[in-house]
Amino acid sequence: MTLPVPTVAIIGRPNVGKSTLFNRILGARTAIVNDVPGVTRDRNYADATYRGRRFRLVDTGGLDPSASEGMLALIRRQSQIAIAEADILILVMDGRAGLTPPDEEVVGLLRGLRKPVFFAINKLDTPKSDPLIADFYRLGQDRLYPLSAEHGLGVAELLDAIVPLLPESTDRDDDREVPRVAIIGRPNVGKSTLVNTLLGQERVLVSEVPGTTRDPIDSMVTYQNRRYLLTDTAGIRRRGRIDRGIEGYSVARSLRAIGRSDLAILLLDGVEGVTEQDTKIAGLVLRQGRACILLVNKWDLREGDARARGEYEADLRRRFPFLSWAPVLFASALKSDSLREIFPLIDRVTASFAARVPTGSLNKFLQALVQEHPLPVRKGKPSRTTKSVYMTQVATKPPVFALFVGQPENVTPEYLRFLENRLREEYHFLGSPIRILVRRK
Ligand code: GDP
Ligand code: GDP
């Protein structure tokens, strides 16, 4: 018997960061794009997995501006619905704004409720903002969860507190360590064929008709005793052809599959070359902050064309400058021989994506770098004093670093790019985005 998946609802007044937290928990860095029809409609529900426990995450979302009732009444109505359908609640409040009457309105709804509620105080972006939490102790809660949903701080602690309340997966699959790989690309590029070849059996329906497979399909594959979860996201369509029906739905599913995954393998057609639609799909991967491998497929049809590889790769780099860190494979989904490199590469890339660099090592690296290339300054002499900078990793999947400096405004985009490239070289970050936040010391 399978237990029903519990529902975890995020409630709170508008603008406290509920959607940001929602996306954070799903592993997406930014909001699931809502300019694509069909995404807004159901973006507030998603299935999430944390430490092998599954739950359904609900974001109570934006208020309906057409309603004529007052703001407090609206907040009350939306929260009541969420409270009724949820098994577990996360109440989000804004640490910078302090406790406000609308917050107290929501807290009032929770009185006497027999469901677990976690009180999260958001927008505490630096350790310095911790005192802001004091205001909320008036609510009489033993435990408050300080968060920066935007920067991913405190989110793991919050989820770790929720985990014991979630039932263990009934299928004994502990998929915590299993890399999740989304196979994406425009229709007909060979996604289903690739999945079938990797699985070594006819698992996904393959057809000459574009878009035959519509929903993401998860398949577990074992390679050299390691397991991988492949999600075939057939169904990303050219934007102009999206209508509100099943196509829009599948875009939402595909975006979600990318967000849920550690890594996206973006397939490109070796014969047709890079198209505008490929660029758009690549943009989705970037926006969701996932790791990426570019796989140029159908290369069997270009074999014997000696210069083709170099030309294709140059074109790819020119069109996807924002994915310059993604490795490129040339292969044929029809030939398993040509895919030998794929699992070792997935291992390397997911390791980069999940990497955590110890602070000591990071600062040794940073100090040597600053000695050689001082931080830019506006006035006066460049400072080579290594005490003026400090760095620490604040998140993984993808790796996010906080660079603490005296004058953040002095850190130019060029310097940040330089620092990113050096970080990549030093720690062999391959196929994973990395982010550097500049903070005042
Ligand atoms: P919602 O209305 O509760 O869903 O709030 P949103 O998630 O849309 O966030 C409202 C605003 O707060 C947005 O401008 C977010 O960028 C910002 N925000 C969310 N989380 C944080 C955070 O951790 N720190 C800061 N500084 N801003 C945040
Ligand atoms: P999807 O829509 O991305 O899932 O694409 P399919 O896997 O359905 O493949 C579309 C068509 O391309 C099918 O006719 C496949 O047989 C063909 N195809 C896929 N991969 C390759 C390849 O590596 N080489 C060649 N020559 N054809 C391929």
Side-chain angles (χ1 to χ4, degrees):
M1 195 196 81
T2 48
L3 291 164
V5 177
T7 295
V8 179
I10 304 175
I11 61 168
R13 65 173 175 86
N15 236 27
V16 292
K18 296 185 296 299
S19 308
T20 310
L21 179 62
F22 178 85
N23 286 300
R24 210 6 113 175
I25 293 176
L26 294 186
R29 191 198 292 164
T30 51
I32 292 172
V33 286
N34 49 18
D35 56 340
V36 181
V39 176
T40 27
R41 198 159 21 99
D42 57 6
R43 67 183 259 259
N44 300 327
Y45 289 81
D47 291 328
T49 306
Y50 185 75
R51 297 198 183 280
R53 314 273 175 112
R54 292 200 304 145
F55 57 97
R56 187 156 177 71
L57 192 62
V58 183
D59 164 18
T60 43
L63 296 164
D64 179 1
S66 64
S68 54
E69 54 198 315
M71 184 66 124
L72 281 185
L74 263 174
I75 296 172
R76 198 183 311 129
R77 187 163 52 86
Q78 281 204 333
S79 305
Q80 274 167 337
I81 295 167
I83 290 168
E85 73 178 344
D87 300 299
I88 297 165
L89 292 138
I90 301 172
L91 168 61
V92 183
M93 288 171 286
D94 182 335
R96 296 192 176 179
L99 193 59
T100 66
D103 294 323
E104 294 185 281
E105 181 77 21
V106 181
V107 171
L109 298 173
L110 301 170
R111 222 158 273 143
L113 188 76
R114 288 267 197 71
K115 292 177 181 177
V117 184
F118 293 82
F119 286 62
I121 315 301
N122 192 31
K123 309 199 187 179
L124 303 178
D125 300 340
T126 64
K128 269 195 211 139
S129 38
D130 282 355
L132 298 175
I133 202 172
D135 200 20
F136 297 92
Y137 280 106
R138 277 200 276 144
L139 294 171
Q141 289 292 310
D142 294 337
R143 179 116 206 235
L144 302 174
Y145 294 85
L147 285 186
S148 170
E150 196 146 281
H151 302 143
L153 304 173
V155 177
E157 287 76 3
L158 174 64
L159 291 175
D160 284 340
I162 294 175
V163 156
L165 307 180
L166 304 172
E168 273 175 80
S169 289
T170 40
D171 51 4
R172 260 166 289 113
D173 274 345
D174 178 12
D175 55 10
R176 183 178 9 170
E177 294 300 327
V178 177
R180 287 179 158 271
V181 181
I183 311 286
I184 58 167
R186 61 186 159 90
N188 244 17
V189 75
K191 298 181 291 299
S192 311
T193 309
L194 176 68
V195 173
N196 290 343
T197 304
L198 294 178
L199 294 176
Q201 61 192 343
E202 197 69 11
R203 163 72 173 73
V204 185
L205 180 67
V206 183
S207 158
E208 298 283 344
V209 184
T212 308
T213 47
R214 286 186 190 280
D215 287 327
I217 301 168
D218 284 348
S219 318
M220 196 67 84
V221 54
T222 305
Y223 179 82
Q224 296 193 339
N225 291 325
R226 278 177 54 82
R227 293 185 310 151
Y228 303 82
L229 193 73
L230 305 181
T231 303
D232 175 9
T233 63
I236 296 182
R237 286 285 168 279
R238 198 174 300 131
R239 200 178 269 189
R241 298 215 319 250
I242 295 166
D243 57 50
R244 265 160 227 244
I246 194 153
E247 297 291 1
Y249 181 69
S250 65
V251 170
R253 294 285 299 255
S254 304
L255 280 171
R256 224 170 266 160
I258 296 172
R260 261 193 342 189
S261 300
D262 301 307
L263 159 69
I265 298 185
L266 172 54
L267 267 71
L268 300 150
D269 192 305
V271 179
E272 291 177 11
V274 182
T275 70
E276 201 181 314
Q277 200 185 358
D278 295 326
T279 309
K280 285 202 176 126
I281 298 170
L284 298 179
V285 179
L286 181 77
R287 254 184 287 173
Q288 301 258 15
R290 304 291 95 186
C292 185
I293 293 172
L294 301 168
L295 191 149
V296 182
N297 192 32
K298 309 195 185 179
W299 206 248
D300 50 302
L301 301 173
R302 306 279 313 255
E303 243 134 33
D305 186 348
R307 295 214 317 260
R309 231 179 229 239
E311 285 170 6
Y312 202 107
E313 185 160 353
D315 190 39
L316 211 49
R317 294 306 183 197
R318 190 171 54 77
R319 285 172 179 259
F320 301 169
F322 50 89
L323 288 180
S324 59
W325 40 262
V328 184
L329 274 182
F330 290 85
S332 167
L334 295 170
K335 299 182 175 168
S336 56
D337 265 11
S338 77
L339 298 169
R340 260 186 319 230
E341 286 175 68
I342 207 164
F343 286 110
L345 192 57
I346 289 172
D347 288 345
R348 278 198 61 194
V349 169
T350 48
S352 289
F353 189 61
R356 190 176 280 286
V357 182
T359 303
S361 163
L362 205 52
N363 284 291
K364 231 179 265 160
F365 153 81
L366 183 66
Q367 300 203 353
L369 189 79
V370 172
Q371 291 274 335
E372 221 186 299
H373 302 272
L375 279 167
V377 284
R378 286 249 178 85
K379 291 184 269 202
K381 271 203 265 168
S383 163
R384 280 171 208 271
T385 56
T386 50
K387 272 182 234 130
S388 60
V389 291
Y390 166 84
M391 196 155 141
T392 184
Q393 185 172 348
V394 294
T396 63
K397 295 190 169 188
V400 180
F401 300 90
L403 174 70
F404 291 91
V405 297
Q407 249 85 51
E409 57 280 8
N410 280 347
V411 182
T412 58
E414 292 73 32
Y415 197 87
L416 274 184
R417 261 199 302 279
F418 166 72
L419 177 58
E420 178 182 335
N421 289 337
R422 283 303 188 85
L423 263 177
R424 286 187 178 282
E425 282 167 29
E426 181 74 16
Y427 297 105
H428 311 289
F429 282 115
L430 179 75
S432 172
I434 63 179
R435 227 179 133 202
I436 304 169
L437 310 169
V438 184
R439 293 280 173 270
R440 190 178 299 280
K441 275 213 304 177

